[in-house]
Coordinates of all heavy atoms in Angstrom, one line a residue:
M1 N -15.4 16.5 -5.6 CA -15.2 15.3 -4.9 C -13.7 15.4 -4.4 O -12.7 15.6 -5.2 CB -15.4 14.1 -5.8 CG -15.1 12.7 -5.1 SD -15.8 11.3 -6.0 CE -15.2 11.6 -7.6
A2 N -13.5 15.0 -3.2 CA -12.2 14.9 -2.5 C -11.6 13.5 -2.7 O -12.1 12.6 -3.2 CB -12.3 15.2 -1.0
D3 N -10.2 13.4 -2.5 CA -9.5 12.3 -2.5 C -9.3 11.7 -1.0 O -9.5 12.5 -0.1 CB -8.2 12.4 -3.2 CG -8.2 12.5 -4.8 OD1 -9.3 12.2 -5.3 OD2 -7.3 12.8 -5.4
M4 N -8.8 10.5 -1.0 CA -8.6 9.8 0.3 C -7.1 9.5 0.2 O -6.5 9.2 -0.8 CB -9.3 8.5 0.4 CG -10.8 8.7 0.5 SD -11.5 9.6 1.8 CE -11.2 8.4 3.2
L5 N -6.4 9.6 1.4 CA -5.0 9.2 1.6 C -5.2 7.9 2.5 O -5.6 7.9 3.6 CB -4.2 10.2 2.2 CG -2.7 9.8 2.4 CD1 -2.0 9.6 1.1 CD2 -2.0 10.8 3.3
V6 N -4.8 6.8 1.9 CA -4.8 5.4 2.6 C -3.4 5.0 3.0 O -2.5 5.1 2.1 CB -5.5 4.4 1.6 CG1 -5.5 3.1 2.3 CG2 -6.9 4.9 1.2
V7 N -3.3 4.5 4.2 CA -2.0 4.1 4.7 C -2.1 2.5 4.7 O -2.9 1.9 5.4 CB -1.7 4.6 6.1 CG1 -0.3 4.0 6.5 CG2 -1.7 6.1 6.2
L8 N -1.3 2.0 3.8 CA -1.3 0.5 3.6 C 0.0 -0.1 4.0 O 1.0 0.3 3.7 CB -1.5 0.1 2.0 CG -1.7 -1.3 1.6 CD1 -3.0 -1.8 2.1 CD2 -1.6 -1.4 0.1
K9 N -0.2 -1.0 5.0 CA 0.9 -1.8 5.6 C 1.1 -3.2 5.0 O 0.1 -3.9 4.9 CB 0.7 -2.0 7.1 CG 2.0 -2.5 7.8 CD 1.7 -2.4 9.3 CE 2.9 -2.3 10.2 NZ 2.6 -2.2 11.6
V10 N 2.2 -3.3 4.3 CA 2.4 -4.5 3.5 C 3.5 -5.4 4.2 O 4.6 -4.9 4.5 CB 2.9 -4.2 2.0 CG1 3.2 -5.4 1.3 CG2 2.0 -3.3 1.4
Y11 N 3.2 -6.7 4.6 CA 3.9 -7.6 5.3 C 4.7 -8.6 4.4 O 4.0 -9.3 3.5 CB 3.1 -8.4 6.3 CG 2.5 -7.5 7.4 CD1 1.3 -6.9 7.2 CD2 3.2 -7.3 8.6 CE1 0.7 -6.2 8.2 CE2 2.7 -6.5 9.6 CZ 1.5 -6.0 9.4 OH 0.9 -5.2 10.4
P12 N 6.0 -8.7 4.3 CA 6.6 -9.5 3.5 C 6.6 -11.0 4.0 O 6.4 -11.2 5.2 CB 8.1 -9.0 3.5 CG 8.2 -8.3 4.8 CD 6.9 -7.8 5.1
E13 N 6.9 -11.9 3.2 CA 7.0 -13.3 3.5 C 8.2 -13.6 4.5 O 8.3 -14.6 5.1 CB 6.9 -14.2 2.3 CG 5.7 -14.2 1.7 CD 5.5 -15.1 0.5 OE1 6.6 -15.4 -0.1 OE2 4.4 -15.4 0.0
G14 N 9.2 -12.8 4.3 CA 10.5 -13.0 5.0 C 11.4 -11.8 4.9 O 11.1 -10.9 4.1
D15 N 12.6 -11.9 5.5 CA 13.5 -10.8 5.5 C 14.4 -10.7 4.2 O 15.0 -9.8 4.0 CB 14.5 -10.9 6.6 CG 15.3 -12.2 6.7 OD1 15.1 -13.1 5.9 OD2 16.3 -12.3 7.5
E16 N 14.2 -11.7 3.3 CA 14.9 -11.7 2.1 C 14.1 -10.9 1.0 O 14.7 -10.7 -0.1 CB 15.3 -13.0 1.6 CG 14.2 -14.0 1.2 CD 13.3 -14.5 2.2 OE1 13.6 -14.5 3.4 OE2 12.2 -14.9 1.9
V17 N 13.0 -10.6 1.3 CA 12.1 -9.9 0.1 C 12.6 -8.5 0.0 O 12.8 -7.7 0.9 CB 10.5 -9.9 0.7 CG1 9.7 -9.2 -0.3 CG2 10.1 -11.4 0.8
D18 N 12.7 -8.1 -1.2 CA 13.2 -6.7 -1.7 C 11.9 -5.8 -1.6 O 11.1 -5.8 -2.5 CB 13.8 -6.8 -3.1 CG 14.3 -5.4 -3.5 OD1 14.1 -4.5 -2.8 OD2 14.9 -5.4 -4.6
L19 N 11.9 -5.0 -0.7 CA 10.7 -4.1 -0.4 C 10.6 -3.1 -1.5 O 9.5 -2.5 -1.8 CB 10.7 -3.4 0.9 CG 10.6 -4.5 2.1 CD1 10.6 -3.8 3.5 CD2 9.2 -5.4 2.0
N20 N 11.8 -2.7 -2.1 CA 11.6 -1.7 -3.2 C 10.9 -2.3 -4.4 O 10.2 -1.7 -5.2 CB 13.0 -1.2 -3.6 CG 13.6 -0.3 -2.6 OD1 12.9 0.6 -2.1 ND2 14.9 -0.3 -2.4
K21 N 11.2 -3.6 -4.7 CA 10.6 -4.2 -5.7 C 9.1 -4.5 -5.5 O 8.3 -4.3 -6.4 CB 11.3 -5.7 -6.0 CG 10.7 -6.3 -7.2 CD 11.5 -7.7 -7.5 CE 11.0 -8.3 -8.7 NZ 11.7 -9.5 -9.0
V22 N 8.7 -4.8 -4.3 CA 7.3 -4.9 -3.9 C 6.7 -3.6 -4.2 O 5.5 -3.6 -4.7 CB 7.2 -5.3 -2.4 CG1 5.8 -5.3 -2.0 CG2 7.7 -6.8 -2.3
S23 N 7.2 -2.6 -3.7 CA 6.7 -1.2 -3.9 C 6.4 -0.9 -5.4 O 5.4 -0.3 -5.8 CB 7.6 -0.1 -3.3 OG 7.1 1.2 -3.6
E24 N 7.4 -1.2 -6.1 CA 7.3 -1.0 -7.7 C 6.1 -1.8 -8.3 O 5.3 -1.3 -9.0 CB 8.6 -1.4 -8.4 CG 9.8 -0.4 -8.1 CD 11.1 -0.8 -8.6 OE1 11.1 -1.9 -9.4 OE2 12.1 -0.3 -8.3
E25 N 6.0 -3.1 -7.9 CA 5.0 -3.9 -8.4 C 3.6 -3.4 -8.0 O 2.6 -3.4 -8.8 CB 5.2 -5.4 -7.9 CG 6.3 -6.1 -8.6 CD 6.1 -6.2 -10.1 OE1 5.1 -6.5 -10.6 OE2 7.2 -5.8 -10.8
V26 N 3.4 -3.0 -6.8 CA 2.1 -2.5 -6.3 C 1.8 -1.2 -7.1 O 0.7 -1.1 -7.5 CB 2.2 -2.2 -4.7 CG1 0.9 -1.5 -4.3 CG2 2.3 -3.5 -3.9
T27 N 2.8 -0.3 -7.2 CA 2.5 1.0 -8.0 C 2.1 0.6 -9.4 O 1.2 1.3 -9.9 CB 3.8 1.8 -8.0 OG1 4.2 2.1 -6.6 CG2 3.6 3.1 -8.6
K28 N 2.7 -0.3 -10.1 CA 2.3 -0.7 -11.4 C 0.9 -1.2 -11.6 O 0.3 -1.0 -12.5 CB 3.3 -1.8 -12.0 CG 4.6 -1.3 -12.3 CD 5.3 -2.6 -13.0 CE 6.8 -2.5 -12.8 NZ 7.6 -3.7 -13.3
K29 N 0.4 -1.8 -10.4 CA -0.9 -2.4 -10.5 C -2.0 -1.5 -10.0 O -3.2 -1.9 -10.1 CB -0.9 -3.7 -9.7 CG 0.0 -4.7 -10.2 CD 0.0 -6.0 -9.4 CE 0.8 -7.1 -10.1 NZ 0.6 -8.4 -9.5
L30 N -1.7 -0.4 -9.5 CA -2.7 0.6 -9.1 C -3.7 1.0 -10.1 O -3.2 1.3 -11.3 CB -2.1 1.8 -8.4 CG -1.3 1.7 -7.2 CD1 -0.7 3.0 -6.8 CD2 -2.1 1.1 -6.1
P31 N -5.0 1.1 -9.9 CA -5.9 1.5 -10.9 C -5.7 3.0 -11.3 O -5.1 3.8 -10.6 CB -7.3 1.4 -10.2 CG -6.9 0.5 -9.0 CD -5.6 0.7 -8.6
Q32 N -6.3 3.4 -12.4 CA -6.2 4.8 -12.8 C -6.8 5.7 -11.7 O -7.8 5.4 -11.2 CB -6.9 5.0 -14.2 CG -6.7 6.4 -14.8 CD -7.4 6.4 -16.1 OE1 -8.0 5.5 -16.7 NE2 -7.2 7.6 -16.7
G33 N -6.1 6.8 -11.5 CA -6.7 7.7 -10.5 C -5.9 7.5 -9.1 O -6.2 8.3 -8.2
Y34 N -5.3 6.4 -8.9 CA -4.6 6.1 -7.7 C -3.1 6.5 -7.9 O -2.6 6.4 -9.0 CB -4.6 4.6 -7.4 CG -5.9 4.1 -7.0 CD1 -7.1 4.3 -7.7 CD2 -6.1 3.3 -5.7 CE1 -8.3 3.7 -7.4 CE2 -7.3 2.8 -5.4 CZ -8.4 3.0 -6.1 OH -9.6 2.5 -5.9
K35 N -2.5 7.0 -6.8 CA -1.1 7.5 -6.8 C -0.3 7.2 -5.6 O -0.9 7.4 -4.5 CB -1.1 9.0 -7.2 CG 0.3 9.6 -7.3 CD 0.2 11.1 -7.7 CE -0.4 12.0 -6.5 NZ -0.2 13.4 -6.8
L36 N 0.9 6.6 -5.7 CA 1.7 6.4 -4.6 C 2.3 7.8 -4.2 O 3.0 8.4 -5.0 CB 2.8 5.4 -4.9 CG 3.8 5.1 -3.8 CD1 3.1 4.5 -2.6 CD2 4.9 4.3 -4.3
V37 N 2.0 8.2 -2.9 CA 2.5 9.6 -2.5 C 3.8 9.4 -1.7 O 4.7 10.3 -1.9 CB 1.4 10.2 -1.7 CG1 1.9 11.5 -1.0 CG2 0.2 10.4 -2.4
R38 N 3.9 8.3 -1.0 CA 5.1 8.2 -0.1 C 5.2 6.7 0.4 O 4.3 6.0 0.4 CB 4.9 9.1 1.2 CG 6.0 9.0 2.1 CD 5.7 10.0 3.2 NE 6.2 9.6 4.5 CZ 5.9 10.1 5.7 NH1 5.1 11.1 5.8 NH2 6.6 9.7 6.8
K39 N 6.5 6.3 0.6 CA 6.8 4.9 1.1 C 7.8 5.0 2.2 O 8.7 5.9 2.1 CB 7.1 4.0 0.0 CG 8.5 4.3 -0.7 CD 8.8 3.2 -1.7 CE 10.1 3.4 -2.2 NZ 10.6 2.6 -3.2
E40 N 7.7 4.1 3.1 CA 8.7 4.0 4.1 C 8.7 2.5 4.7 O 7.8 1.7 4.3 CB 8.4 4.9 5.3 CG 7.1 4.9 5.9 CD 6.7 6.1 6.9 OE1 7.2 7.2 6.4 OE2 6.2 5.8 7.9
T41 N 9.6 2.2 5.5 CA 9.7 0.8 6.1 C 9.5 1.0 7.7 O 9.8 2.0 8.2 CB 10.9 0.2 5.8 OG1 12.0 0.8 6.3 CG2 11.0 -0.1 4.3
E42 N 9.1 -0.1 8.2 CA 8.8 -0.1 9.7 C 9.3 -1.5 10.2 O 8.8 -2.5 9.8 CB 7.3 0.1 10.0 CG 6.9 0.0 11.4 CD 5.5 0.2 11.7 OE1 5.1 1.3 11.4 OE2 4.8 -0.8 12.1
P43 N 10.1 -1.5 11.2 CA 10.6 -2.8 11.7 C 9.5 -3.5 12.4 O 8.7 -2.8 13.2 CB 11.7 -2.4 12.7 CG 12.0 -1.0 12.6 CD 10.8 -0.4 11.8
I44 N 9.3 -4.8 12.2 CA 8.2 -5.5 12.9 C 8.8 -6.7 13.8 O 8.2 -6.8 14.8 CB 7.2 -6.1 11.9 CG1 7.8 -6.8 10.7 CG2 6.3 -4.9 11.4 CD1 6.8 -7.4 9.8
A45 N 9.8 -7.4 13.4 CA 10.4 -8.4 14.2 C 11.5 -9.1 13.6 O 11.5 -9.4 12.4 CB 9.3 -9.4 14.6
F46 N 12.6 -9.4 14.4 CA 13.6 -10.3 14.0 C 14.2 -9.8 12.6 O 14.5 -10.7 11.7 CB 13.2 -11.7 13.9 CG 12.6 -12.3 15.2 CD1 11.2 -12.5 15.3 CD2 13.4 -12.4 16.3 CE1 10.6 -13.0 16.4 CE2 12.8 -12.9 17.5 CZ 11.4 -13.2 17.5
G47 N 14.4 -8.6 12.4 CA 15.1 -8.1 11.2 C 14.2 -8.0 10.0 O 14.5 -7.6 8.9
I48 N 12.9 -8.2 10.2 CA 12.0 -8.1 9.1 C 11.3 -6.8 9.2 O 10.8 -6.2 10.3 CB 10.8 -9.2 9.2 CG1 11.5 -10.6 9.1 CG2 9.7 -9.0 8.2 CD1 10.5 -11.7 9.3
N49 N 11.2 -6.1 8.1 CA 10.5 -4.8 8.0 C 9.2 -4.9 7.2 O 9.1 -5.6 6.2 CB 11.4 -3.8 7.3 CG 12.7 -3.4 8.1 OD1 12.4 -3.1 9.2 ND2 13.7 -3.4 7.5
A50 N 8.2 -4.1 7.6 CA 7.0 -4.0 6.8 C 7.1 -2.8 5.9 O 7.9 -1.8 6.2 CB 5.8 -3.8 7.7
L51 N 6.5 -2.8 4.8 CA 6.5 -1.7 3.8 C 5.2 -0.8 4.1 O 4.1 -1.4 4.1 CB 6.5 -2.2 2.4 CG 6.5 -1.2 1.3 CD1 7.7 -0.4 1.3 CD2 6.4 -1.9 0.0
I52 N 5.4 0.4 4.3 CA 4.2 1.3 4.6 C 4.1 2.3 3.3 O 5.0 2.9 2.9 CB 4.4 2.2 5.9 CG1 4.9 1.5 7.0 CG2 3.1 3.0 6.1 CD1 3.9 0.4 7.5
L53 N 3.0 2.1 2.6 CA 2.6 2.8 1.4 C 1.5 3.8 1.7 O 0.5 3.5 2.3 CB 2.2 1.9 0.3 CG 3.2 0.9 -0.1 CD1 2.6 -0.1 -1.1 CD2 4.5 1.5 -0.6
Y54 N 1.7 5.1 1.3 CA 0.7 6.1 1.3 C 0.2 6.3 0.0 O 0.9 6.8 -0.9 CB 1.3 7.4 1.9 CG 1.9 7.3 3.3 CD1 3.1 6.8 3.6 CD2 1.1 7.7 4.4 CE1 3.6 6.6 4.9 CE2 1.6 7.6 5.7 CZ 2.8 7.0 5.9 OH 3.3 6.9 7.2
I55 N -1.1 5.9 -0.2 CA -1.7 6.0 -1.5 C -2.8 6.9 -1.5 O -3.8 6.9 -0.7 CB -2.1 4.6 -1.9 CG1 -0.9 3.6 -2.0 CG2 -2.8 4.5 -3.3 CD1 -1.2 2.2 -2.1
Q56 N -2.8 7.8 -2.6 CA -3.9 8.8 -2.7 C -4.9 8.1 -3.7 O -4.5 7.6 -4.8 CB -3.4 10.0 -3.4 CG -4.5 11.1 -3.5 CD -3.9 12.4 -4.0 OE1 -2.6 12.7 -3.9 NE2 -4.7 13.3 -4.6
M57 N -6.2 8.1 -3.4 CA -7.2 7.5 -4.2 C -8.4 8.2 -4.2 O -8.7 9.1 -3.3 CB -7.5 6.1 -3.7 CG -8.1 5.9 -2.4 SD -8.3 4.3 -1.9 CE -10.0 4.0 -2.5
P58 N -9.3 8.1 -5.3 CA -10.5 8.9 -5.3 C -11.4 8.4 -4.2 O -11.5 7.2 -3.8 CB -11.1 8.5 -6.6 CG -10.0 7.9 -7.5 CD -9.1 7.4 -6.5
E59 N -12.2 9.4 -3.6 CA -13.0 8.9 -2.5 C -14.2 8.0 -2.9 O -14.6 7.1 -2.1 CB -13.8 10.3 -1.9 CG -14.6 10.1 -0.7 CD -15.1 11.4 -0.1 OE1 -15.4 12.2 -1.0 OE2 -15.2 11.5 1.0
Q60 N -14.8 8.2 -4.0 CA -15.8 7.3 -4.4 C -15.4 6.2 -5.4 O -15.8 6.1 -6.5 CB -16.9 8.1 -5.1 CG -17.5 9.2 -4.3 CD -18.3 8.6 -3.1 OE1 -19.0 7.6 -3.2 NE2 -18.3 9.4 -2.0
S61 N -14.5 5.4 -4.8 CA -13.9 4.3 -5.6 C -14.7 3.0 -5.4 O -14.9 2.6 -4.2 CB -12.4 4.0 -5.2 OG -11.6 5.1 -5.5
E62 N -14.9 2.3 -6.4 CA -15.6 1.0 -6.4 C -14.6 0.0 -5.7 O -13.6 -0.2 -6.1 CB -16.1 0.5 -7.7 CG -17.0 -0.7 -7.6 CD -17.5 -1.2 -9.0 OE1 -17.9 -0.1 -9.8 OE2 -17.6 -2.3 -9.3
G63 N -15.1 -0.8 -4.7 CA -14.2 -1.7 -4.0 C -13.4 -1.1 -2.9 O -13.0 -1.8 -2.0
G64 N -13.3 0.3 -2.8 CA -12.7 1.0 -1.7 C -11.3 0.5 -1.5 O -10.6 0.1 -2.4
T65 N -11.0 0.4 -0.2 CA -9.7 -0.1 0.2 C -9.5 -1.5 0.0 O -8.3 -2.0 0.1 CB -9.4 0.4 1.7 OG1 -10.3 -0.2 2.6 CG2 -9.5 1.9 1.8
D66 N -10.6 -2.4 0.0 CA -10.3 -3.7 -0.2 C -9.6 -4.1 -1.4 O -8.7 -5.0 -1.5 CB -11.8 -4.4 -0.3 CG -12.5 -4.5 0.9 OD1 -11.8 -4.2 2.1 OD2 -13.7 -4.7 0.9
E67 N -9.7 -3.2 -2.5 CA -9.0 -3.5 -3.7 C -7.4 -3.3 -3.6 O -6.7 -4.0 -4.1 CB -9.6 -2.6 -4.9 CG -8.9 -2.8 -6.2 CD -9.5 -2.0 -7.3 OE1 -10.3 -1.1 -7.0 OE2 -9.1 -2.2 -8.5
L68 N -7.1 -2.2 -2.7 CA -5.8 -2.0 -2.5 C -5.1 -3.2 -1.7 O -4.0 -3.6 -2.1 CB -5.6 -0.7 -1.6 CG -5.7 0.6 -2.3 CD1 -5.6 1.7 -1.4 CD2 -4.8 0.7 -3.5
E69 N -5.8 -3.7 -0.7 CA -5.3 -5.0 0.0 C -5.1 -6.0 -0.9 O -4.1 -6.7 -0.8 CB -6.2 -5.2 1.2 CG -6.2 -4.1 2.3 CD -7.2 -4.4 3.4 OE1 -8.2 -5.3 3.2 OE2 -7.2 -3.8 4.5
S70 N -6.0 -6.3 -1.7 CA -6.0 -7.4 -2.7 C -4.9 -7.3 -3.6 O -4.1 -8.1 -3.9 CB -7.4 -7.4 -3.4 OG -7.3 -8.5 -4.4
I71 N -4.6 -6.1 -4.2 CA -3.6 -5.8 -5.2 C -2.2 -6.1 -4.5 O -1.4 -6.8 -5.1 CB -3.6 -4.3 -5.8 CG1 -4.8 -4.1 -6.5 CG2 -2.3 -3.9 -6.3 CD1 -5.1 -2.7 -7.0
A72 N -2.0 -5.5 -3.3 CA -0.7 -5.7 -2.6 C -0.5 -7.2 -2.2 O 0.6 -7.7 -2.3 CB -0.6 -4.8 -1.4
S73 N -1.5 -7.8 -1.8 CA -1.4 -9.2 -1.3 C -1.1 -10.2 -2.4 O -0.5 -11.3 -2.2 CB -2.8 -9.7 -0.7 OG -2.9 -9.0 0.6
Q74 N -1.4 -9.9 -3.7 CA -1.1 -10.6 -4.8 C 0.3 -10.5 -5.4 O 0.6 -11.3 -6.3 CB -2.1 -10.4 -5.9 CG -3.5 -10.8 -5.6 CD -4.6 -10.4 -6.6 OE1 -4.2 -10.0 -7.7 NE2 -5.9 -10.5 -6.3
V75 N 1.1 -9.6 -4.9 CA 2.5 -9.4 -5.3 C 3.3 -10.5 -4.8 O 3.2 -10.9 -3.5 CB 3.0 -8.0 -4.9 CG1 4.5 -7.8 -5.2 CG2 2.2 -6.9 -5.7
E76 N 4.3 -11.0 -5.6 CA 5.2 -12.0 -5.1 C 6.0 -11.5 -3.9 O 6.6 -10.4 -4.0 CB 6.1 -12.5 -6.2 CG 6.9 -13.6 -5.9 CD 7.8 -14.1 -7.2 OE1 7.5 -13.7 -8.2 OE2 8.8 -14.7 -6.8
G77 N 6.1 -12.4 -3.0 CA 6.9 -12.1 -1.7 C 6.1 -11.5 -0.6 O 6.6 -11.2 0.4
V78 N 4.8 -11.2 -0.9 CA 4.0 -10.5 0.1 C 3.1 -11.5 0.9 O 2.5 -12.4 0.3 CB 3.1 -9.4 -0.5 CG1 2.1 -8.9 0.5 CG2 3.9 -8.3 -1.1
S79 N 3.2 -11.5 2.2 CA 2.4 -12.4 3.0 C 1.0 -11.9 3.0 O 0.0 -12.6 2.7 CB 3.0 -12.4 4.5 OG 2.1 -13.0 5.3
H80 N 0.8 -10.6 3.4 CA -0.5 -10.0 3.4 C -0.4 -8.5 3.6 O 0.7 -7.9 3.8 CB -1.4 -10.6 4.5 CG -1.1 -10.2 5.9 ND1 0.0 -10.8 6.6 CD2 -1.6 -9.3 6.8 CE1 0.1 -10.3 7.7 NE2 -0.8 -9.4 7.9
A81 N -1.5 -7.8 3.3 CA -1.5 -6.3 3.4 C -2.7 -5.9 4.1 O -3.7 -6.5 4.0 CB -1.5 -5.7 2.0
E82 N -2.8 -4.8 4.8 CA -3.9 -4.3 5.5 C -3.8 -2.7 5.6 O -2.8 -2.1 5.7 CB -4.0 -4.8 7.0 CG -2.9 -4.4 7.8 CD -3.0 -5.0 9.2 OE1 -4.0 -5.7 9.5 OE2 -2.1 -4.8 10.0
V83 N -5.1 -2.1 5.5 CA -5.1 -0.7 5.6 C -5.0 -0.4 7.1 O -5.8 -0.9 7.9 CB -6.4 -0.3 5.0 CG1 -6.7 1.2 5.4 CG2 -6.4 -0.4 3.5
V84 N -4.1 0.5 7.5 CA -4.0 0.8 8.9 C -4.4 2.3 9.2 O -4.4 2.7 10.4 CB -2.5 0.6 9.3 CG1 -2.3 -0.9 9.3 CG2 -1.6 1.4 8.6
G85 N -4.7 3.0 8.1 CA -5.1 4.5 8.4 C -5.7 5.0 7.0 O -5.5 4.5 5.9
M86 N -6.6 6.0 7.3 CA -7.2 6.6 6.1 C -7.7 8.0 6.5 O -8.1 8.2 7.6 CB -8.4 5.7 5.7 CG -9.0 6.1 4.5 SD -10.2 4.9 3.8 CE -11.1 4.3 5.3
T87 N -7.5 9.0 5.6 CA -8.0 10.3 5.9 C -8.5 11.0 4.6 O -8.0 10.5 3.5 CB -6.9 11.1 6.6 OG1 -7.5 12.4 7.0 CG2 -5.7 11.4 5.6
R88 N -9.5 11.8 4.8 CA -9.9 12.5 3.6 C -9.1 13.8 3.3 O -8.8 14.5 4.3 CB -11.4 12.9 3.9 CG -12.1 13.5 2.7 CD -13.6 13.6 3.0 NE -14.4 13.9 2.0 CZ -15.0 15.2 1.7 NH1 -14.8 16.0 2.6 NH2 -15.7 15.3 0.7
L89 N -8.8 14.0 2.0 CA -7.9 15.1 1.7 C -8.9 16.2 1.2 O -9.6 15.9 0.2 CB -6.9 14.7 0.6 CG -5.9 13.7 0.9 CD1 -5.1 13.3 -0.3 CD2 -5.0 14.2 2.0
G90 N -9.0 17.3 1.8 CA -9.8 18.4 1.4 C -9.1 19.3 0.3 O -8.0 19.6 0.5
F91 N -9.8 19.7 -0.7 CA -9.3 20.6 -1.7 C -10.0 22.0 -1.7 O -11.1 22.1 -1.6 CB -9.3 20.0 -3.1 CG -8.4 18.8 -3.2 CD1 -8.9 17.6 -3.7 CD2 -7.1 18.8 -2.7 CE1 -8.2 16.4 -4.0 CE2 -6.4 17.6 -3.0 CZ -6.9 16.5 -3.4

């Protein structure tokens, strides 16, 4: 069974939100078998940056990407999160 690489865009509630802390909190809450591969920021408007997380997850995961969006959205300082990309990793 292959893994998936999911690109998750996390929108902060404002420009004062520490995106490194948000990334750490999301990583702590990831289910077993999920792994943060890479993170970066992307400017969205008026000095506010979105957090882009690249997460490796099992292909046959219950809840799929909805669970990732839910986990990230529940972190303090996060307005919402959405999956903006996904690809299958072949081994």
Side-chain angles (χ1 to χ4, degrees):
M1 178 169 45
D3 281 352
M4 301 293 292
L5 182 66
V6 177
V7 182
L8 184 69
K9 192 173 204 176
V10 181
Y11 294 90
E13 291 178 340
D15 61 349
E16 70 285 345
V17 174
D18 182 353
L19 295 179
N20 287 323
K21 186 174 180 180
V22 169
S23 172
E24 289 172 11
E25 288 299 314
V26 171
T27 303
K28 284 183 205 174
K29 294 181 179 191
L30 290 176
Q32 186 173 1
Y34 289 53
K35 179 174 72 171
L36 178 65
V37 177
R38 180 175 151 192
K39 69 178 181 177
E40 55 190 43
T41 59
E42 176 182 293
I44 50 177
F46 306 108
I48 299 175
N49 291 314
L51 179 64
I52 311 296
L53 301 176
Y54 296 81
I55 299 171
Q56 184 176 339
M57 63 180 272
E59 184 176 35
Q60 300 295 327
S61 297
E62 188 173 322
T65 58
D66 291 340
E67 184 176 7
L68 285 177
E69 290 175 347
S70 177
I71 287 169
S73 295
Q74 293 174 11
V75 172
E76 185 178 339
V78 172
S79 170
H80 68 283
E82 64 182 359
V83 172
V84 295
M86 186 167 45
T87 189
R88 188 169 191 250
L89 300 173
F91 296 130

